[in-house]
Amino acid sequence: MLTCQAQNHPQLKKQGTAVQLTVKGKPFLVLGGELGNSSASSLPYMKDIWATVKQMHLNTVLTPVYWELLEPAEGKFDFTLVDSIIYQARRHDLHLVLLWFGAWKNSMSCYAPAWVKKDQQRFPRAQKQDGSGLEILSAFSHNNLTADAKAFRILMKHVHEIDAAYSTVIMVQVENEIGMLTEAREHTAAADAAFNDQVPAALLDHLNKHKEEIVPELKQHWGANGYLTKGTWEQVFGKGLATDELFQAWYYTTYTNTVAREGKAEYPLPMFVNTALNYKNVKPGEYPSAGPLPHLMDIWQAAAPAIDILSPDFYNPYFKHYNDLYTRRNNPLFIPEIRFEPSDGAKAFYAIGHYNGIGFSPFSIESTDKPAEEPVAKSYEVLRQLTPVILAYQGTGKIDGALLDTTNTKQDIPAGKYVLSVAHDGTLGWSGIPRAQWGEAGGIIIQTGEDEFIVAGTGIVITFATTDKTTPIAGILQADEGEYVNGEWAAGRRLNGDQTHQGRHIRIPMGTWGIQRVKLYRYK
């Protein structure tokens, strides 16, 4: 069980309206990258990864832990890979987020041990309506849950023993992209019996208690049948795939909560789950049904108190839309997985600035031949410098972010007596870059005083207006570029000439990344 050694373990704490991760008692911003699924399965393969991620200014690596390699024979655990990765990360001054590839990885049970996969009577699979099996362990099996939770608990006990004094490991993901394919729910005998039974009172009590707060998608579905507080799943929620998905979600969630709870009993690190999003708007089962999706947030929050964060994985162009959905219901934003592409650099600024994000992590971060030249590496270098300031201002209403592209070219940010109009640098027309090639631009704006701002990012132009009617014109008093060195501002050039277009705007051009400190004034 947990000892006093780990009382200062990484944890989540509230600051104003934000939730922050604290490591060794101090707020921490995850500038992360997730390894490819198979990278951490081989020590020789891992040896060159550390230099790559250091060049990209990461402070955290998200790495899988594979149940099949951790427990290759039942009851016999091999920590060689886990220990090596923890020790190497520590040696390179990097933190880790562990991704438990247990019963499910991208819906499937591909990382379950062979002794589980081959004994289908003891460890049953999910089944389709026609009775055929799936490469998915059933969430309705006590044996599946017990074996998974036991392995996870032993993992967390071991991590506590070797790492509690160091906090190399700072968070843990429980399972990976849970969800049913190719049907909305399981059709084993146990699942069908549960489906025809009463809806658990714990769920209905939660919905009734939070009736005016639950996400509108769920409220509408429940309300269509009269907000019943007793009955079978089809009596309460009606017939159809949406009800099948709600049912499956409840049992995925209670399963996952048990696994997380067992792990936290040994080492209570922050724990999260991640989601494969239904961005193509297809039916449950055509996307991974019943995972921690935005319309199911209340199910997951009701049944999984041991899970601290529900996280979106991004392989779609709807970045703002899904972040808006995942910051409902007091859910902190942590992005553990996003396609590794040039737009990540701008998106990292926006997620951290606008949503008070805990962190950001492109997938397969090691798969680059030019790590220092990646846009996200350049953004991370700026964010690394700004981290103490960002963490001080998150949750205060004094920090925001901008994300711009060829469609959304401008964004207004109110800040005290000022309104900052942030536009894509391409709108100036000076670069000569065709509109189709602009790429995404992004930045963070922090108001450090009534008339003082820190502006950081790439490809942005900012003009200023004021709501002060007595002095209705806003001007730039001074603008300095520079950098933060060991948390202290080191000013570079004063930019009050051509770089500000003679006081008309603040600009960080496309293809450049920078930080500027700006003072404004107002006049008639």
Side-chain angles (χ1 to χ4, degrees):
M1 292 296 293
L2 186 65
T3 69
C4 60
Q5 181 184 21
Q7 294 305 305
N8 198 32
H9 58 79
Q11 55 195 286
L12 299 175
K13 290 186 177 181
K14 189 92 170 178
Q15 174 173 285
T17 59
V19 173
Q20 295 180 322
L21 174 66
T22 64
V23 178
K24 296 185 177 179
K26 296 180 180 180
F28 185 83
L29 185 65
V30 175
L31 306 179
E34 181 179 342
L35 299 180
N37 292 158
S38 302
S39 297
S41 66
S42 165
L43 293 180
Y45 192 88
M46 284 290 295
K47 66 182 177 63
D48 296 326
I49 286 175
W50 306 105
T52 296
V53 299
K54 290 292 284 187
Q55 289 182 65
M56 299 179 76
H57 306 289
L58 273 69
N59 60 22
T60 306
V61 174
L62 283 70
T63 179
V65 175
Y66 316 95
W67 185 11
E68 65 173 342
L69 298 182
L70 184 76
E71 192 181 6
E74 186 171 6
K76 298 185 183 299
F77 290 85
D78 183 349
F79 294 103
T80 303
L81 277 171
V82 174
D83 290 353
S84 177
I85 290 170
I86 290 174
Y87 295 147
Q88 288 183 64
R90 194 181 297 163
R91 214 164 28 243
H92 288 88
D93 195 27
L94 289 162
H95 290 282
L96 293 173
V97 173
L98 301 184
L99 314 177
W100 175 238
F101 285 9
W104 301 296
K105 192 273 176 200
N106 291 57
S107 300
M108 302 301 173
S109 299
C110 45
Y111 284 109
W115 54 270
V116 170
K117 288 180 179 178
K118 294 169 70 174
D119 191 347
Q120 295 174 39
Q121 183 171 358
R122 185 178 168 203
F123 302 106
R125 308 288 183 88
Q127 291 179 357
K128 298 192 291 186
Q129 280 186 289
D130 64 8
S132 60
L134 294 162
E135 185 70 13
I136 300 172
L137 289 174
S138 174
F140 295 84
S141 164
H142 177 74
N143 287 345
N144 290 345
L145 173 57
T146 300
D148 191 357
K150 177 185 176 183
F152 186 67
R153 181 168 186 152
I154 289 173
L155 169 66
M156 294 305 298
K157 181 176 186 292
H158 182 78
V159 172
H160 175 254
E161 289 171 349
I162 70 167
D163 194 56
Y166 300 92
S167 292
T168 311
V169 179
I170 55 176
M171 283 202 296
V172 180
Q173 177 183 289
V174 186
E175 314 296 347
N176 182 268
E177 292 189 355
I178 300 164
M180 265 294 293
L181 293 171
T182 56
E183 298 188 6
R185 72 169 182 90
E186 293 186 36
H187 289 275
T188 59
D192 285 345
F195 186 73
N196 293 319
D197 201 353
Q198 298 287 296
V199 177
L203 172 57
L204 291 174
D205 289 347
H206 173 87
L207 295 181
N208 199 46
K209 181 179 179 181
H210 300 281
K211 185 175 180 180
E212 301 308 316
E213 305 161 19
I214 60 178
V215 296
E217 305 95 312
L218 179 55
K219 185 177 181 182
Q220 181 180 11
H221 184 61
W222 179 34
N225 230 33
Y227 299 111
L228 297 180
T229 57
K230 187 177 181 180
T232 66
W233 288 88
E234 288 188 340
Q235 287 170 344
V236 173
F237 297 108
K239 293 185 178 182
L241 292 178
T243 295
D244 288 356
E245 182 178 36
L246 287 177
F247 163 79
Q248 185 70 35
W250 178 261
Y251 286 95
Y252 271 148
T253 307
T254 55
Y255 180 113
T256 307
N257 184 67
T258 300
V259 175
R261 188 184 64 220
E262 288 293 300
K264 280 188 170 183
E266 297 295 344
Y267 193 13
L269 293 179
M271 295 189 183
F272 66 96
V273 287
N274 65 329
T275 318
L277 298 170
N278 178 26
Y279 68 94
K280 294 181 179 179
N281 197 30
V282 295
K283 296 176 182 179
E286 295 176 20
Y287 65 85
S289 171
L293 291 147
H295 62 287
L296 301 173
M297 290 181 75
D298 291 278
I299 305 294
W300 280 83
Q301 290 181 333
I307 297 296
D308 301 292
I309 305 172
L310 311 179
S311 290
D313 289 353
F314 281 101
Y315 293 90
N316 66 74
Y318 309 114
F319 191 71
K320 292 183 180 181
H321 172 73
Y322 281 105
N323 283 330
D324 286 343
L325 295 181
Y326 272 92
T327 47
R328 300 178 299 178
R329 303 295 288 119
N330 301 310
N331 185 55
L333 182 66
F334 177 61
I335 300 175
E337 188 173 336
I338 186 169
R339 180 182 285 120
F340 188 9
E341 59 187 7
S343 66
D344 290 347
K347 289 171 179 171
F349 286 123
Y350 188 64
I352 291 166
H354 184 69
Y355 296 102
N356 294 308
I358 289 172
F360 188 88
S361 174
F363 175 69
S364 193
I365 195 71
E366 76 278 17
S367 60
T368 174
D369 295 328
K370 299 178 180 179
E373 297 177 25
E374 294 289 345
V376 74
K378 296 176 182 180
S379 291
Y380 277 2
E381 167 57 11
V382 170
L383 290 166
R384 181 192 62 77
Q385 295 179 46
L386 278 177
T387 289
V389 185
I390 290 170
L391 293 172
Y393 279 90
Q394 279 188 333
T396 66
K398 301 289 186 181
I399 181 171
D400 208 335
L403 182 62
L404 306 163
D405 55 28
T406 57
T407 301
N408 303 296
T409 60
K410 183 181 177 182
Q411 178 181 334
D412 287 342
I413 296 175
K417 293 184 178 180
Y418 296 97
V419 176
L420 283 61
S421 292
V422 188
H424 197 292
D425 181 48
T427 60
L428 286 179
W430 294 354
S431 66
I433 299 174
R435 188 184 185 101
Q437 298 176 21
W438 284 0
E440 293 192 85
I444 284 182
I445 294 92
I446 305 170
Q447 186 175 15
T448 57
E450 181 179 344
D451 306 301
E452 298 182 4
F453 297 85
I454 296 172
V455 175
T458 179
I460 56 175
V461 176
I462 306 176
T463 54
F464 304 91
T466 179
T467 57
D468 185 353
K469 295 181 180 179
T470 61
T471 51
I473 304 173
I476 298 171
L477 188 64
Q478 71 180 62
D480 296 317
E481 69 177 2
E483 60 182 350
Y484 281 87
V485 180
N486 297 323
E488 298 293 327
W489 176 248
R493 296 180 299 169
R494 175 65 53 85
L495 303 177
N496 282 16
D498 289 344
Q499 283 72 34
T500 62
H501 199 186
Q502 290 70 49
R504 293 177 176 87
H505 57 231
I506 297 298
R507 182 188 183 210
I508 304 175
M510 282 186 284
T512 67
W513 282 254
I515 306 172
Q516 297 182 25
R517 291 184 62 168
V518 180
K519 292 183 180 180
L520 305 180
Y521 71 110
R522 302 185 296 275
Y523 60 95
K524 294 182 179 179

